[in-house]
Amino acid sequence: MPITQLPSQLVNQIAAGEVVERPASVLKELLENSLDAGATRVEVDVEQGGIKLCRVRDNGVGIPSAELSLALSRHATSKIASLDDLERVASLGFRGEALPSIASVSRLTLISRERGNDAAWSMNSVGNDNKPDEQPVPAAGQEGTSVEVRDLFYNTPARRRFLRTERTEYSHLDRVARQIALSRFSVAFRLNHNGKAVLNLAAAATQEHQEQRIAAICGKEFMQHALYIEHGAGDMQLRGWIARPTFSRSQPDLQHFFLNGRAVRDRVIVSAVRQAYRDVLFSGRHPAYVLYLEMDPALVDVNAHPTKHEVRFRDSRPVYDFIRRSVESAVAGTHPKPGQDASQFTVPALLNTPGELAAEQSSLRFSLGATTAPAGQRIADQLGVYSQLPGQTAQELAADVSDAEIPPLGFAIAHLQGIYILARNSEGLVIVDAHAAHERVTYEALKNSYSADSAEGMQRQPLLIPLRMVLSSVEVDLTETHAAELLQLGFVLDRSGPDSLTVREIPVLLRDADIEVLLRDVLSDIQATGDSDRLESAVMDLLATMACHGSVRANRVLTLDEMNALLRQMEQTQRADQCNHGRPTWTQLSMQDLDRLFQRGR
Ligand code: ADP
Ligand code: MG
């Protein structure tokens, strides 16, 4: 075949192959256009899963009648005019491809009335010839724009065959609509399917209304377990809702992240959040969140993929660190405070002084060098979780203090079956899983001691027989450029050839780990992200194992003083709400709960 220029119809259909996969992608493009047009109200009508009809009406700025035909032409956009604009683009669209692509595979009608103008104009573009009408014709319509897309893929049988059942197509479309509705609280949304209202969301200005919208979209359960976070650093702002670890999921299906108002699914972001939850989730469980990050658009490249789901950060490290730290501190902040904050309470005899805590931690540091499972018990002992309280007994104290002075987790009453601690606080009954709680307290203490140590680097131990490893030369180069960090983490490595390495010293804490596997993973992390969290996670995993072995076993009956000491430790420990596996460590039954249980009216 000789080389020929493709007809524009075919060019558009090829482009449609990228951006118009199914009715849901049509809806996404149309909704994004409405948001870009500054709409505050958007109404969607869908028939037969969007295959028969997908119509979006908005009250945005509208399109001047003279530009209607341009809107349907390829590479025509009002959103950017230069490379400079592209590099700091803040709108959702900018490629000028969506409308002509959709029009080339459907029957499309565009009706628009420019804001402040009293007439609406309409234009058709029917796939087969894909030449917009020469001139717009007068139409009836409110201020804003209506785009109606009928009979998707009617002229491209191969694409049509890929469409699934109406129900499946609808479910994709529904997901897109909900995601866009999550992305802009300030916009009211309605979605009707086959004439029935499916979503009807008012604009949500206050946090309370926003939480209602999230509950309507992500479910009440999520909202009940959600923590609100809001954090800023430099010119990055993160806000949103993250689920407590007790509401983890078996699939990563409740993870919504919006970057400057655009839904993105990015590796850097996903792994930053995952790392933040690392301590409190079982492996294989996934956190749930709805998060909004605002940052300078010039630092993000959204032109990395036609559907713009993927983004590229100019420098991903600060973004990663910022998200991880923000989420981590919110997860860590979940220590016990039924009603009140632990810091308000002054029951000095029961609380450890900072000096005592420091003493515990330094004794812990000495013992880390020779840690095996039984030694875990020693560490727990040294933590003083069950140290005897000075003088007075807890009961005497409990009798003396008024309700306001009772600490958040209260005073112990009994140890049930050697498993649950029952305690009385100002609200009613507290029930604690002693083992889970102790494990968490021990683990956090171990971690503190690890980070206290890391000023001098992890404690190292030489290998009697140095380990030789064969790697790629790129990986061996990495060990040289990152030698300082690797040393900090406890590794002493020598290059022994262009593609081989000798491991001379390793972290004491990891001496039982498979060093070769760990090091390979660490290097591939460094290669992929410029850094590695894997080693730190490996250390944390090890600390968790030690904490578990060192924690009080079920069926050992604790004395009241021991129980009270544990309760006080929990109040001071970050993340004491969940054990290391994300299960709750304690729960509260208030007097109202008990009254309800016994159907006692007050
Ligand atoms: P892009 O969004 O990448 O610019 P589109 O093909 O989606 O490309 O739209 C082309 C142009 O049509 C937009 O740049 C915009 O000017 C106009 N347009 C499309 N939809 C709307 C709408 N709902 N309201 C106002 N203008 C619109
Ligand atoms: Mg667009």
Side-chain angles (χ1 to χ4, degrees):
M1 257 200 284
I3 300 178
T4 54
Q5 190 75 50
L6 295 177
S8 76
Q9 149 82 342
L10 187 54
V11 172
N12 283 327
Q13 286 173 335
I14 291 169
E18 273 188 320
V19 288
V20 191
E21 192 193 344
R22 54 179 6 139
S25 19
V26 171
L27 182 63
K28 173 177 181 284
E29 294 295 337
L30 299 186
L31 284 175
E32 290 189 349
N33 279 346
S34 296
L35 297 183
D36 281 347
T40 57
R41 205 181 57 239
V42 179
E43 184 153 354
V44 181
D45 290 287
V46 170
E47 283 172 24
Q48 295 179 15
I51 303 166
K52 183 88 203 112
L53 170 74
C54 180
R55 178 174 52 221
V56 174
R57 285 178 289 180
D58 66 50
N59 65 348
V61 292
I63 307 172
S65 60
E67 292 178 13
L68 282 180
S69 148
L70 265 179
L72 294 172
S73 316
R74 201 168 159 68
H75 302 315
T77 178
S78 57
K79 297 169 193 176
I80 57 170
S82 66
L83 179 65
D84 227 35
D85 293 343
L86 174 63
E87 283 177 353
R88 60 192 71 250
V89 66
S91 55
L92 296 168
F94 53 81
R95 301 168 75 103
E97 277 186 332
L99 291 185
S101 303
I102 296 167
S104 73
V105 292
S106 69
R107 304 180 217 270
L108 184 145
T109 305
L110 174 61
I111 304 174
S112 195
R113 180 166 139 195
E114 217 188 335
R115 211 173 262 174
N117 213 307
D118 50 16
W121 296 86
S122 158
M123 190 160 241
N124 287 305
S125 177
V126 176
N128 265 340
D129 42 339
N130 199 43
K131 280 202 293 289
D133 301 342
E134 301 287 298
Q135 290 298 322
V137 294
Q142 312 265 316
E143 279 185 349
T145 302
S146 157
V147 183
E148 185 176 290
V149 175
R150 288 190 177 273
D151 306 323
L152 186 65
F153 299 143
Y154 81 98
N155 57 346
T156 50
R159 298 304 300 275
R160 200 170 55 233
R161 275 197 293 277
F162 279 101
L163 288 178
R164 314 293 291 274
T165 61
E166 176 179 330
R167 229 177 91 209
T168 305
E169 291 305 336
Y170 180 73
S171 75
H172 286 285
L173 205 139
D174 187 77
R175 197 160 35 81
V176 165
R178 286 168 193 268
Q179 190 171 54
I180 300 243
L182 276 184
S183 79
R184 296 293 161 95
F185 289 118
S186 54
V187 178
F189 286 93
R190 284 168 77 149
L191 168 63
N192 308 308
H193 187 211
N194 294 336
K196 279 215 302 279
V198 185
L199 272 185
N200 189 357
L201 302 166
T206 63
Q207 187 181 328
E208 189 193 341
H209 289 146
Q210 295 175 356
E211 292 183 353
Q212 285 165 2
R213 177 176 288 201
I214 292 178
I217 293 173
C218 302
K220 287 200 185 69
E221 273 272 281
F222 170 73
M223 216 48 246
Q224 276 159 10
H225 291 87
L227 299 165
Y228 178 70
I229 72 173
E230 198 172 336
H231 189 214
D235 51 11
M236 286 187 279
Q237 288 289 333
L238 185 73
R239 84 182 273 264
W241 292 262
I242 62 170
R244 289 170 192 276
T246 41
F247 182 78
S248 63
R249 319 268 297 173
S250 62
Q251 298 293 322
D253 58 351
L254 215 166
Q255 302 187 340
H256 296 281
F257 199 98
F258 301 94
L259 174 59
N260 293 339
R262 179 194 305 281
V264 293
R265 187 140 184 96
D266 176 82
R267 207 173 49 85
V268 172
I269 295 168
V270 170
S271 91
V273 180
R274 202 190 49 226
Q275 280 297 319
Y277 272 89
R278 164 194 71 194
D279 281 349
V280 289
L281 281 191
F282 257 135
S283 62
R285 302 293 296 176
H286 301 271
Y289 50 85
V290 179
L291 288 169
Y292 302 84
L293 175 67
E294 301 291 328
M295 63 184 287
D296 181 354
L299 302 178
V300 196
D301 184 2
V302 290
N303 190 23
H305 190 269
T307 60
K308 312 180 198 79
H309 282 302
E310 289 165 27
V311 291
R312 230 180 273 128
F313 294 105
R314 302 258 189 263
D315 183 4
S316 61
R317 195 69 217 178
V319 181
Y320 176 93
D321 287 340
F322 172 65
I323 297 173
R324 179 175 160 181
R325 258 185 290 110
S326 309
V327 176
E328 210 162 48
S329 62
V331 173
T334 58
H335 51 90
K337 40 177 179 254
Q340 291 130 318
D341 196 302
S343 58
Q344 285 171 230
F345 295 92
T346 44
V347 191
L350 290 179
L351 295 177
N352 278 312
T353 64
E356 282 169 344
L357 273 179
E360 283 163 10
Q361 283 174 6
S362 65
S363 68
L364 183 67
R365 213 167 305 150
F366 289 121
S367 62
L368 273 178
T371 301
T372 52
Q377 183 65 57
R378 273 208 312 280
I379 292 171
D381 294 343
Q382 282 158 1
L383 280 172
V385 171
Y386 296 119
S387 62
Q388 292 296 310
L389 292 166
Q392 62 213 120
T393 66
Q395 284 131 309
E396 283 163 344
L397 247 175
D400 273 359
V401 294
S402 68
D403 257 15
E405 287 170 297
I406 300 180
L409 293 179
F411 295 114
I413 307 166
H415 194 193
L416 201 62
Q417 304 277 9
I419 300 173
Y420 297 109
I421 296 172
L422 306 185
R424 177 185 86 84
N425 70 358
S426 57
E427 306 207 352
L429 184 67
V430 172
I431 307 173
V432 176
D433 178 335
H435 174 73
H438 187 199
E439 185 176 332
R440 167 51 68 182
V441 165
T442 310
Y443 175 59
E444 289 297 330
L446 286 169
K447 264 194 352 191
N448 283 342
S449 125
Y450 164 66
S451 44
D453 268 357
S454 64
E456 305 121 51
M458 287 286 286
Q459 222 182 328
R460 296 189 303 271
Q461 147 179 329
L463 289 175
L464 284 181
I465 305 163
L467 175 70
R468 259 175 221 289
M469 288 175 65
V470 176
L471 297 158
S472 73
S473 60
V474 178
E475 286 169 318
V476 183
D477 288 348
L478 279 178
T479 64
E480 288 184 331
T481 46
H482 289 80
E485 289 113 295
L486 287 165
L487 181 68
Q488 178 77 15
L489 290 168
F491 283 106
V492 176
L493 312 166
D494 281 340
R495 181 173 213 142
S496 43
D499 54 5
S500 64
L501 194 69
T502 307
V503 184
R504 301 201 180 280
E505 295 183 35
I506 59 165
V508 173
L509 277 174
L510 296 179
R511 62 170 174 204
D512 293 328
D514 186 332
I515 292 297
E516 187 159 345
V517 171
L518 179 69
L519 209 54
R520 277 181 198 280
D521 287 348
V522 167
L523 290 175
S524 78
D525 270 14
I526 292 180
Q527 203 168 3
T529 65
D531 209 330
S532 180
D533 293 308
R534 204 178 288 263
L535 192 97
E536 218 188 311
S537 329
V539 173
M540 295 304 156
D541 284 350
L542 205 93
L543 297 183
T545 310
M546 286 161 37
C548 182
H549 286 296
S551 299
V552 62
R553 294 272 138 228
N555 300 323
R556 187 188 143 217
V557 177
L558 302 173
T559 67
L560 279 183
D561 288 341
E562 285 176 327
M563 290 188 273
N564 281 316
L566 177 58
L567 295 174
R568 303 295 78 81
Q569 289 271 359
M570 287 174 68
E571 284 156 3
Q572 296 191 323
T573 300
Q574 292 197 323
R575 292 176 271 240
D577 264 9
Q578 295 94 29
C579 76
N580 301 342
H581 311 303
R583 293 190 298 265
T585 54
W586 66 281
T587 190
Q588 166 96 59
L589 279 179
S590 67
M591 290 311 284
Q592 287 97 308
D593 294 333
L594 292 169
D595 289 346
R596 221 174 294 127
L597 217 56
F598 293 98
Q599 303 178 1
R600 170 195 266 269
R602 279 200 177 193

